[in-house]
Amino acid sequence: MSGPPIDRGWAFVVAFAVFISYFIIMGIIKSFGIIMREVILYFEIHTTTAALVMGISGAVYTVTGPFCMALGEHFTQRKVVFVGSIVAFVMVSLSSFLIRIEFFSFFFGVGTGLASAYVYGNGLVMIEIYFSRRFTRATACALTGVSVGTFIMPILVEAFLEKYSLSGAILIVAAIYLNGCICGALYRPLSFYAEKRSSDPEQVPIAMEKPEANENDVKQFEPVEIQTKEGVDVAGDIGNGDEVEKRLLSENEKGEDTANKVAKPKDIPKRPVWTFHMCGRKRTFPALFQFYVLKLPVVLFFTLFSFLVFVGYFNFILFLPLDAMSRGITKYENVALVSYTGAGDLLGRLLGVFVGDQPRIKRYKILATCSILCGVNIILFEIAGQVYFWMSIHAALYGFFGGVVLVLNTKVVEDFVGPQLFRTVLGMVLFFQGLGVAIGQPLEGKIRDETKSFTALNIINSICMIAAGVLLFMYPFVKRFQERSTKQAENMEFQVQKEA
């Protein structure tokens, strides 16, 4: 079977690589509450200052996320993730010296933020490139890396802290980031298949021939001629991944019968580019922020939803270890609580894939319902007080409903805007998600220091999740408003043309 391995072969290797990369970056991020506890004790600082570390991480992710996705389109996702893992290793390693809290905050915050920016968005793009019919399932399986990482990494981090102290544990965490290079190396760009075909010695002579034969013979040679010539052109055009997909797909459709035809990749337009001159040469670079999509009411509506969800969802788990410690829970029970959220998250993602593929239920309704239930369990966790059994139950349910939210979030984006705008809107959604994390953590840390309690934080996080779910149920009204606005604009344009 020729052509790019869409929904088959190397596509599953890519999905596994994304799984491992998410296991690393998100497992470490969600374990920061455990590290924060030791940072507060080591530097003798307030919660606000410690939370600022992850605030820096979220801010760096927010600002550089779209930039890193653009770099992935320009230089290929493989190179960007590979380099990003090395940068994260160096930055986090430097933070292990623990010279001052400012020194630690800068290097650890920037290092983890860059790691998330380099890896997360580009991982989703690789899944989108390699999967079509199995896109939803592949995305879900890859994102279960977050669940497994949340379950396993807190236990490992606690063991590292106990055996090697804070400095040694952070150095080991830095070494774990370096494993992202292996994942990046497996992100084979589709241009690889064009290069492989163009260098095939058996196909080059055929492409050069100009056979004078009957109509059937011409049809037989035509796809071979296209694949060789186009393959050479595409292979030398950096950042032309979308064209590679289209052209290689065309070869498959012409050269294979219907029974063996591979799945069709999504027809995604290229990102707009910035053009500038450097050293006397004209250079282009993919545009980073495409705020024009925010003119669409549906996009603005969903970015607001994402902002509220990530304020409530991520801030709760980051402050969870400190909250539990303030209730007299032992550190081992504390770590177990975080792991329970990971176990629930894994089950939620698996169920989310199954339920999300049911045609009878709209995906956005499932997403909205689970967002509300996740917020409800945050407030129930607060009500549980010092009863560890109920704390564990609601921590696991928080992870379960949160897992459904995260696994359906990406797919609902595509449902709302279609594959044509998917990458552009995804970049904006990730931007606002990171903004919610960057703003929420320092702000909630300040509230914790002022109130001397985590109750206010749990209430805020619960309200954000519930409000996001209620907001998402209003999607039909927003959709009708957008359709009405579009129709009015088209009618106005037609009227102007008619009068002219």
Side-chain angles (χ1 to χ4, degrees):
M1 186 181 293
S2 60
I6 306 301
D7 287 319
R8 59 185 173 86
W10 195 261
F12 298 109
V13 177
V14 171
F16 179 73
V18 176
F19 171 90
I20 296 297
S21 65
Y22 286 179
F23 171 90
I24 293 171
I25 63 165
M26 298 307 296
I28 293 173
I29 289 295
K30 290 194 175 184
S31 300
F32 182 71
I34 297 171
I35 298 175
M36 189 194 307
R37 181 192 67 206
E38 298 300 321
V39 169
I40 292 173
L41 296 175
Y42 184 89
F43 289 107
E44 298 180 351
I45 55 177
H46 295 293
T47 307
T48 305
T49 309
L52 186 61
V53 178
M54 289 313 294
I56 293 174
S57 178
V60 170
Y61 169 76
T62 299
V63 174
T64 60
F67 179 76
C68 291
M69 290 184 68
L71 284 175
E73 294 183 26
H74 192 68
F75 295 108
T76 75
Q77 287 77 19
R78 166 187 277 179
K79 294 178 181 178
V80 170
V81 172
F82 191 92
V83 172
S85 299
I86 295 176
V87 171
F89 164 71
V90 173
M91 297 289 287
V92 177
S93 294
L94 290 173
S95 72
S96 67
F97 288 105
L98 303 176
I99 298 174
R100 292 176 58 88
I101 183 60
E102 295 83 2
F103 180 91
F104 173 80
S105 298
F106 175 78
F107 283 101
F108 191 89
V110 173
T112 55
L114 285 176
S116 300
Y118 277 112
V119 173
Y120 193 79
N122 285 306
L124 291 177
V125 171
M126 289 303 298
I127 293 292
E128 185 212 9
I129 289 174
Y130 271 90
F131 289 91
S132 179
R133 289 183 293 104
R134 299 174 178 174
F135 173 70
T136 303
R137 295 181 182 180
T139 302
C141 291
L143 287 173
T144 55
V146 179
S147 311
V148 179
T150 306
F151 180 76
I152 295 177
M153 198 60 71
I155 300 173
L156 294 178
V157 169
E158 185 61 49
F160 297 152
L161 288 169
E162 186 172 317
K163 190 171 182 62
Y164 302 107
S165 75
L166 179 61
S167 178
I170 293 174
L171 192 59
I172 295 174
V173 166
I176 294 174
Y177 271 123
L178 193 59
N179 287 276
C181 292
I182 301 174
C183 300
L186 297 175
Y187 287 0
R188 182 182 290 172
L190 289 187
S191 58
F192 168 84
Y193 302 97
E195 294 169 0
K196 184 176 179 181
R197 287 174 153 204
S198 63
S199 62
D200 191 336
E202 296 182 359
Q203 294 184 7
V204 173
I206 297 175
M208 299 297 292
E209 294 180 11
K210 299 289 184 180
E212 295 182 3
N214 58 38
E215 184 178 356
N216 293 331
D217 291 334
V218 173
K219 289 182 178 179
Q220 181 180 0
F221 282 105
E222 184 178 2
V224 180
E225 183 177 356
I226 290 176
Q227 69 186 28
T228 305
K229 292 173 65 179
E230 295 284 73
V232 174
D233 293 338
V234 171
D237 191 2
I238 297 177
N240 229 5
D242 298 319
E243 292 299 321
V244 175
E245 294 178 49
K246 298 175 188 176
R247 294 174 184 178
L248 288 176
L249 170 66
S250 176
E251 298 162 21
N252 283 313
E253 291 178 337
K254 292 179 181 179
E256 297 179 12
D257 56 31
T258 306
N260 295 325
K261 191 182 297 181
V262 296
K264 179 178 179 180
K266 298 179 180 66
D267 185 17
I268 307 294
K270 292 176 62 179
R271 180 193 291 260
V273 297
W274 292 336
T275 303
F276 58 96
H277 295 272
M278 179 181 293
C279 301
R281 296 183 61 184
K282 181 180 178 181
R283 302 181 185 275
T284 61
F285 188 79
L288 303 184
F289 298 97
Q290 300 177 65
F291 290 104
Y292 71 88
V293 295
L294 293 178
K295 294 180 180 179
L296 298 175
V298 169
V299 176
L300 186 62
F301 166 78
F302 195 80
T303 52
L304 177 58
F305 163 81
S306 297
F307 177 83
L308 291 173
V309 163
F310 274 71
V311 168
Y313 179 79
F314 269 103
N315 288 332
F316 173 75
I317 194 170
L318 288 174
F319 287 104
L320 174 61
L322 294 176
D323 187 1
M325 187 174 66
S326 69
R327 304 186 193 191
I329 304 301
T330 67
K331 66 178 182 180
Y332 297 106
E333 292 176 330
N334 200 335
V335 172
L337 280 177
V338 181
S339 295
Y340 294 153
T341 67
D345 187 276
L346 176 60
L347 293 175
R349 289 175 192 269
L350 295 176
L351 181 65
V353 174
F354 175 76
V355 177
D357 286 339
Q358 301 302 312
R360 297 180 180 179
I361 310 175
K362 297 290 186 181
R363 266 188 286 259
Y364 81 88
K365 293 182 179 180
I366 303 172
L367 181 61
T369 302
C370 288
S371 177
I372 293 173
L373 293 175
C374 186
V376 169
N377 275 281
I378 291 175
I379 200 64
L380 290 176
F381 179 87
E382 171 62 31
I383 296 173
Q386 296 178 329
V387 183
Y388 185 75
F389 174 78
W390 288 112
M391 291 173 65
S392 302
I393 292 294
H394 294 301
L397 289 174
Y398 151 84
F400 176 81
F401 292 114
V404 178
V405 168
L406 295 181
V407 79
L408 292 181
N409 193 68
T410 303
K411 189 59 181 176
V412 171
V413 172
E414 189 174 22
D415 290 343
F416 282 3
V417 302
Q420 296 293 324
L421 288 176
F422 175 74
R423 291 189 190 180
T424 302
V425 176
L426 178 62
M428 295 306 302
V429 168
L430 294 178
F431 174 83
F432 280 95
Q433 287 176 356
L435 190 64
V437 177
I439 294 175
Q441 289 161 8
L443 179 62
E444 292 196 5
K446 181 66 175 177
I447 294 173
R448 159 66 181 84
D449 287 337
E450 293 292 332
T451 61
K452 306 299 181 183
S453 171
F454 289 92
T455 300
L457 273 59
N458 290 330
I459 293 174
I460 292 172
N461 295 331
S462 177
I463 290 175
C464 285
M465 293 293 292
I466 294 173
V470 172
L471 178 68
L472 192 57
F473 273 118
M474 299 180 183
Y475 167 68
F477 301 102
V478 178
K479 182 181 179 182
R480 281 199 292 270
F481 174 77
Q482 178 169 300
E483 291 174 347
R484 192 184 310 117
S485 300
T486 303
K487 188 174 181 180
Q488 289 175 353
E490 291 175 350
N491 291 337
M492 185 177 297
E493 182 180 358
F494 176 77
Q495 186 66 26
V496 169
Q497 293 176 351
K498 184 178 179 180
E499 292 176 356

